[in-house]
């Protein structure tokens, strides 16, 4: 049945018996789709062929190699023109004038004038050269023929054959005839092949210089990633930076824009170059386009650092080798040299390496310290590396509050006189009282300095890690004074400020580590009280200003451009305690990482330098003290301890009870106990054995009293 489809519908039968056909439906058959015309199918095939990747690749290859010839011809023509004219000197003169360097402009003008004079002399010589050449040829030809005849006469005499006289002359004539024959044979193919060889030479020059548009170049040539930094690359990167004044000035200079550049020097795992900007271009216009400049140099943003040196209108570019900053630096000297010791006053802590690959060492002498950054970027490791070095000076005393409480400072147990660990309010209260103890010790030392200007004190470092926990603590004391905050009544804030104000002169120092700085968790007066300020990766430029100060950030410091998670341990330092290149306000340091196992080994060496340190894990508040027992406790296992050292240890044990003690207070407690101070080797000391007997006697008869 043509044009119809017949459907037979059968009623369902519950008993599965065949049922009658009750309906016959005739449905018109749908007409078939018309065939696609041949020209449409051909057009689709052509379009598919033209847009196929293989076709595009082949087209780019054809365009590339054709443009190589044109580009090579342009380059050769430019080189020829430069070699035959004074164009090179004119470009350098314009470049020097555009850069405002009038001395260089005058020098290039003088060089150009000397070149023109030398060229004039050469041209004048050419006017006389034909006559001179003719004379020379005539004389040479006469001498040559005469020489050949003399040679022939000599041969004729020797052989007694007169025909030998013309033999040398005929040999020369035959040689000339041979040369003419060779030229006739070669000349035709040379004329045919010569243009192809010339095209090949032009293609080679263009291919070597990649003289083709970017779209036509192969992918590896287009990316340029990791290519060495050359003056032309730097100039092109600056030209394409998007600063119209800079682009116009470089265009007017021509290829001589490289005159803006100082020498490109190898600096660690990269290169460094100073760029003198043309008049009308400010340094912050270049600084603000760091990412674009890095991409123009075929680098990632974190591989290009822009700083402002001392010279006016100059930026200093440090450009890393591609991928070099992702490679780890070597181990710390603290872990490789077990004989290494420290000197707090004259030494410097080996902290890591700067971007040039040079060792970066920091002086800690009488400098308060602040290290900040985002969470998990290596802040504690960087702070601990400095403390480990300082611990190798046996005169340094540490009082540490770790408000994270993860055990990062556990190896200082038995080395620090105070070690508080934990993030709770109770630990913040103890940390606050620890810092207030620093204030009391500072005041005692200042009072001693008034009566004895020549008094010398051992360094005392109070260290609070995760200090933002203290500033944000909501707890208040019995007098309703808050422990946290930044008000005049805030106990932690005021104690830190007092140490910052006067502690340095008596070697009482404050070190703090904090994360994600804000005005609330790192008040302005506290962050500006630190002499050494270091920042790891931060989130915003405003945080960078908080961490390092506005001057450092304006000078090129950019911790907010460090990569979170990838640049762990890399920090930007603003301090007079570290060597910073002249004219810069900060330096970037990749710090050595010291793991917990190595840190424990270093603290064990530091403990061996000391006579034994009793570490308190909490601050005693308001309880009755037993001075005689406390004295025996701080003496510990040492046979004899100097009285001044005993007083210092007592102050560390309980600043409230012993922070203001002097030698007279110590003598008052020990008088009549049999453990009085006595001289040994010219210094006053206290004996461990005498203290033990005094305590034993007191326990027996109860005659000794706890003053």
């Amino acid at each position: 049945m043509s044009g119809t489809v017949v459907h037979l519908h059968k009623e369902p039968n519950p008993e599965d018996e065949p049922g009658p056909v009750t309906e016959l439906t005739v449905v018109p058959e749908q007409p078939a789709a018309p065939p696609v015309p041949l020209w449409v199918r051909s057009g689709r095939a052509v379009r598919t062929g033209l847009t196929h990747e293989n076709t595009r690749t082949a087209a780019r290859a054809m365009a590339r190699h054709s443009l190589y010839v044109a580009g090579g011809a342009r380059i050769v023509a430019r080189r020829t023109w430069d070699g035959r004219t004074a164009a090179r000197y004119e470009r350098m003169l314009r470049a020097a004038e555009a850069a405002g360097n009038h001395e260089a402009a005058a020098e290039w003008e003088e060089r150009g004038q000397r070149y023109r004079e030398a060229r004039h002399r050469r041209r004048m010589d050419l006017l006389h050269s034909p006559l001179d050449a003719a004379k020379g040829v005539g004389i040479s030809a006469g001498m040559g023929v005469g020489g050949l005849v003399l040679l022939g006469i000599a041969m004729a005499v020797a052989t007694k054959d007169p025909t030998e006289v013309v033999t040398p002359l005929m040999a020369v004539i035959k040689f000339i005839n041979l040369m003419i024959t060779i030229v006739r044979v070669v000349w035709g193919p040379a004329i045919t092949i010569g243009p192809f060889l010339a095209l090949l030479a032009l293609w080679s020059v263009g291919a070597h210089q990649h003289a083709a548009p970017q779209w036509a170049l192969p992918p590896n040539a287009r990316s340029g990633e990791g290519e060495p930094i050359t003056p032309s690359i730097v100039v092109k990167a600056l030209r394409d930076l998007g600063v119209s004044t800079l682009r116009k000035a470089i265009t007017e200079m021509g290829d001589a824009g490289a005159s803006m550049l100082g020498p490109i020097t190898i600096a660690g795992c990269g290169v460094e170059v100073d760029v003198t900007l043309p008049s009308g271009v400010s340094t912050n216009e270049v600084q603000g386009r760091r990412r674009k400049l890095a991409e123009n140099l075929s680098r990632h943003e974190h591989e290009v650092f822009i700083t402002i040196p001392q010279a006016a209108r100059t930026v200093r570019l440090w450009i890393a080798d591609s991928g070099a900053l992702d490679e780890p630096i070597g181990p710390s000297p603290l872990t490789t040299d077990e004989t290494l010791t420290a000197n707090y006053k004259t030494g410097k802590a080996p902290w890591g390496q700067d971007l040039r690959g040079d060792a970066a060492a920091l002086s800690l002498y009488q400098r308060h310290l602040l290290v900040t950054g985002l969470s998990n970027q290596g802040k504690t490791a960087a702070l601990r590396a400095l403390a480990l070095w300082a611990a190798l000076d046996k005169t340094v005393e540490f009082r540490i509050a770790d408000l994270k409480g993860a055990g990062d400072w556990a190896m200082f147990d038995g080395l620090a006189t105070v070690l508080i660990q934990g993030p709770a309010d109770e630990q913040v209260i103890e940390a606050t009282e620890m810092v207030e103890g620093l204030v009391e010790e500072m005041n005692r030392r200042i009072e001693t300095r008034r009566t004895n200007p020549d008094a010398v004190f051992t360094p005392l470092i109070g260290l609070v890690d995760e200090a933002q926990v203290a500033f944000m603590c909501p707890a208040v004391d019995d007098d309703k004074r808050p422990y946290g905050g930044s008000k005049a009544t805030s106990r932690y804030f005021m104690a830190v400020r007092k140490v910052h104000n006067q502690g340095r002169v008596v070697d009482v120092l404050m070190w703090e580590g904090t994360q994600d700085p804000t005005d609330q968790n790192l008040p302005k007066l506290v962050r500006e009280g630190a002499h050494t300020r270091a920042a790891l990766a931060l989130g915003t430029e405003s945080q960078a200003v908080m961490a390092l100060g506005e001057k450092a950030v304006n000078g090129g410091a950019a911790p907010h451009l460090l990569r979170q998670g990838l640049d762990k341990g890399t920090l930007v330092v603003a301090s007079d305690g570290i060597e910073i290149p002249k004219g810069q306000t900060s330096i970037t340091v990749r710090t050595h990482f010291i793991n917990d196992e190595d840190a424990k080994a270093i603290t064990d060496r530091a403990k061996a330098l000391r006579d034994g340190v009793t570490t308190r894990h909490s601050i005693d508040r308001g309880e009755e003290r037993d001075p005689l027992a406390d004295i025996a406790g701080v003496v510990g296992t040492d046979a004899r301890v100097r009285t001044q050292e005993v007083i210092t240890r007592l102050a560390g044990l309980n600043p409230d009870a012993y922070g203001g003690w002097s030698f007279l207070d110590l003598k008052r407690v020990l008088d009549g106990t049999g453990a009085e101070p006595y001289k040994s080797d010219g210094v006053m000391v206290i004996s461990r054995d005498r203290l033990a007997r005094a305590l034993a006697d007191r326990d027996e008869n109860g005659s000794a009293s706890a003053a």
Side-chain angles (χ1 to χ4, degrees):
M1 184 184 295
S2 175
T4 62
V5 177
V6 179
H7 297 278
L8 297 179
H9 296 276
K10 180 179 177 182
E11 293 293 337
N13 189 344
E15 299 179 359
D16 295 327
E17 294 290 336
V21 175
T22 59
E23 183 178 358
L24 177 64
T25 305
V26 178
V27 181
E29 185 178 8
Q30 296 296 328
V36 179
L38 178 61
W39 65 270
V40 174
R41 293 199 302 271
S42 301
R44 290 175 181 173
V46 170
R47 186 178 62 181
T48 302
L50 291 176
T51 58
H52 195 274
E53 184 61 30
N54 291 340
T55 306
R56 291 181 176 181
T57 302
R60 281 197 297 266
M62 292 177 62
R64 177 169 67 251
H65 292 292
S66 300
L67 291 169
Y68 278 166
V69 176
R74 186 179 66 253
I75 294 171
V76 170
R78 186 64 175 271
R79 290 174 180 175
T80 304
W81 178 258
D82 286 346
R84 303 294 296 176
T85 68
R88 177 185 296 106
Y89 301 96
E90 293 293 336
R91 283 201 308 273
M92 299 298 285
L93 174 61
R94 291 197 303 271
E97 289 176 343
N101 191 341
H102 300 294
E103 292 181 1
E107 181 181 352
W108 282 113
E109 184 177 13
E110 183 181 354
R111 290 185 180 182
Q113 187 61 31
R114 289 200 302 266
Y115 172 81
R116 292 186 184 93
E117 292 175 356
R119 183 179 61 184
H120 177 71
R121 286 194 301 269
R122 290 194 301 271
R123 288 175 177 175
M124 295 302 295
D125 292 340
L126 287 175
L127 296 177
H128 303 284
S129 60
L131 183 59
D132 295 338
K135 291 179 180 179
V137 169
I139 295 172
S140 299
M143 294 180 62
V145 173
L148 292 173
V149 172
L150 290 175
L151 178 61
I153 292 173
M155 293 175 61
V157 171
T159 59
K160 297 179 180 181
D161 184 2
T163 59
E164 292 292 335
V165 173
V166 295
T167 298
L169 188 60
M170 294 304 297
V172 171
I173 293 173
K174 290 180 180 179
F175 177 76
I176 293 173
N177 185 55
L178 176 62
M179 292 297 102
I180 293 173
T181 303
I182 292 174
V183 169
R184 286 176 178 175
V185 172
V186 173
W187 182 254
I191 291 296
T192 304
I193 300 174
F196 294 100
L197 295 177
L199 289 176
L200 181 61
L202 294 176
W203 175 89
S204 177
V205 173
H208 181 71
Q209 297 292 332
H210 296 300
Q214 288 290 316
W215 60 265
L217 295 176
N220 58 345
R222 287 201 300 270
S223 68
E225 183 172 352
E227 63 182 343
I229 300 299
T230 62
S232 61
I233 288 176
V234 177
V235 171
K236 289 177 182 177
L238 293 169
R239 183 194 64 193
D240 300 336
L241 202 53
V243 181
S244 58
T245 308
L246 180 60
R247 182 180 183 87
K248 182 178 179 182
I250 294 176
T251 302
E252 292 177 353
M253 297 176 194
D255 288 344
S259 62
M260 299 189 306
L261 310 183
I264 297 179
T265 58
I266 296 176
C269 56
V271 296
E272 186 175 75
V273 59
D274 284 355
V275 181
T276 302
L277 300 175
S279 178
V281 182
S282 63
T283 55
N284 61 354
E285 288 182 285
V286 177
Q287 277 187 303
R289 291 170 169 81
R290 177 184 173 187
R291 174 176 294 181
K292 190 169 186 178
L293 178 62
E295 292 172 350
N296 290 348
L297 293 168
S298 301
R299 295 294 189 272
H300 297 291
E301 184 178 12
H302 71 278
E303 294 176 330
V304 175
F305 288 81
I306 306 172
T307 54
I308 309 300
Q310 194 171 15
R313 218 171 66 238
T314 302
V315 293
R316 178 169 294 160
L317 306 181
W318 185 86
I319 307 161
D321 297 336
S322 185
L325 293 183
D326 296 326
E327 299 294 329
I329 65 172
S332 169
L334 297 177
T335 62
T336 58
D337 185 359
E338 296 185 357
T339 63
L340 184 68
T341 58
N343 188 308
Y344 158 78
K345 185 174 182 179
T346 62
K348 290 188 175 183
W351 211 4
Q353 294 179 358
D354 63 17
L355 296 179
R356 296 165 182 80
D358 299 328
L362 179 69
S363 172
L364 308 177
Y365 179 61
Q366 293 188 343
R367 289 178 175 88
H368 302 304
L369 175 66
L370 172 66
V371 179
T372 186
L374 297 177
S375 178
N376 195 32
Q377 297 304 301
K379 167 181 53 62
T380 297
L383 191 60
R384 190 174 70 181
L386 297 177
L388 289 170
W389 178 82
L392 294 176
D393 183 341
K394 65 180 181 180
T395 65
V396 176
E397 177 189 352
F398 282 100
R399 300 181 187 179
I400 299 175
D402 175 15
L403 298 183
K404 180 164 57 177
D408 294 329
W409 297 90
M411 67 286 301
F412 279 79
D413 193 358
L415 183 59
T417 54
V418 177
L419 180 58
I420 299 165
Q421 301 180 90
D425 289 350
E426 178 65 23
Q427 281 78 44
V428 173
I429 293 171
E430 292 180 339
T432 302
E433 294 176 347
M434 181 193 80
V435 179
E436 290 173 340
L438 295 177
V439 175
E440 293 180 5
E441 173 63 15
M442 176 189 72
N443 292 334
R444 184 190 70 79
R445 293 184 178 192
I446 292 174
E447 187 64 29
T448 302
R449 181 68 60 83
R450 288 176 183 170
T451 59
N452 181 13
D454 297 328
V456 178
F457 305 104
T458 57
L460 172 59
I461 298 175
L463 191 155
V464 179
D465 195 10
E466 305 295 342
Q468 77 279 355
V469 177
F471 285 112
M472 301 301 290
C473 178
V476 296
D477 62 12
D478 295 336
D479 297 327
K480 305 301 181 182
R481 292 180 59 198
Y483 287 94
S486 57
K487 297 180 180 179
T489 57
S490 301
R491 290 181 59 178
Y492 179 81
F493 169 75
M494 291 305 298
V496 173
R497 286 290 301 135
K498 290 176 182 178
V499 175
H500 279 175
N501 287 339
Q502 296 178 298
R504 181 188 67 83
V505 295
V506 289
D507 291 298
V508 177
L509 305 179
M510 190 73 210
W511 291 7
E512 290 182 289
T514 183
Q515 64 175 254
D516 201 12
T518 66
D519 284 327
Q520 289 71 40
N521 65 24
L522 188 60
K524 185 176 188 293
L525 292 178
V526 169
R527 60 182 185 249
E528 292 186 351
H531 303 99
T532 296
R533 299 166 72 172
L536 296 108
L538 291 171
T540 64
E541 184 175 349
S542 62
Q543 287 185 319
V545 173
M546 291 181 189
L548 299 176
E550 190 169 355
K551 180 180 179 181
V553 174
N554 290 341
H560 55 289
L561 297 181
L562 295 174
R563 301 167 298 168
Q564 183 176 2
L566 298 177
D567 290 326
K568 282 187 177 182
T570 299
L571 43 75
V572 183
V573 186
S575 172
D576 62 349
I578 193 170
E579 185 176 352
I580 296 177
K582 189 175 182 180
Q584 295 182 203
T585 56
S586 64
I587 187 171
T588 302
V589 177
R590 304 173 69 197
T591 58
H592 297 295
F593 174 71
I594 303 175
N595 60 36
D596 291 346
E597 182 179 351
D598 290 335
K600 187 177 185 307
I602 296 170
T603 54
D604 288 342
R605 285 157 45 196
K607 293 172 187 177
L609 298 174
R610 292 164 171 79
D611 295 328
V613 176
T614 301
T615 299
R616 290 182 299 126
H617 298 279
S618 62
I619 303 296
D620 300 323
R621 300 185 292 273
E623 66 271 27
E624 291 292 330
R625 305 296 308 180
D626 183 348
L628 187 60
D630 286 344
I631 293 170
V634 298
V635 169
T637 59
D638 299 332
R640 292 186 303 274
V641 180
R642 291 184 298 171
T643 54
Q644 187 59 47
E645 178 67 19
V646 172
I647 293 172
T648 301
R649 293 182 184 182
L650 285 172
L653 178 65
N654 192 305
D656 293 333
Y658 304 116
W661 267 36
S662 65
F663 175 76
L664 295 178
D665 297 305
L666 182 64
K667 186 174 182 299
R668 174 178 54 82
V669 171
L670 296 178
D671 280 347
T673 63
E676 295 84 352
Y678 65 95
K679 273 194 175 183
S680 176
D681 296 330
V683 295
M684 298 298 292
V685 298
I686 295 175
S687 169
R688 175 195 62 194
D689 296 337
R690 293 184 183 184
L691 283 170
R693 285 196 297 270
L695 285 172
D697 292 342
R698 186 187 66 175
D699 293 339
E700 289 179 2
N701 53 37
S703 60
S705 62

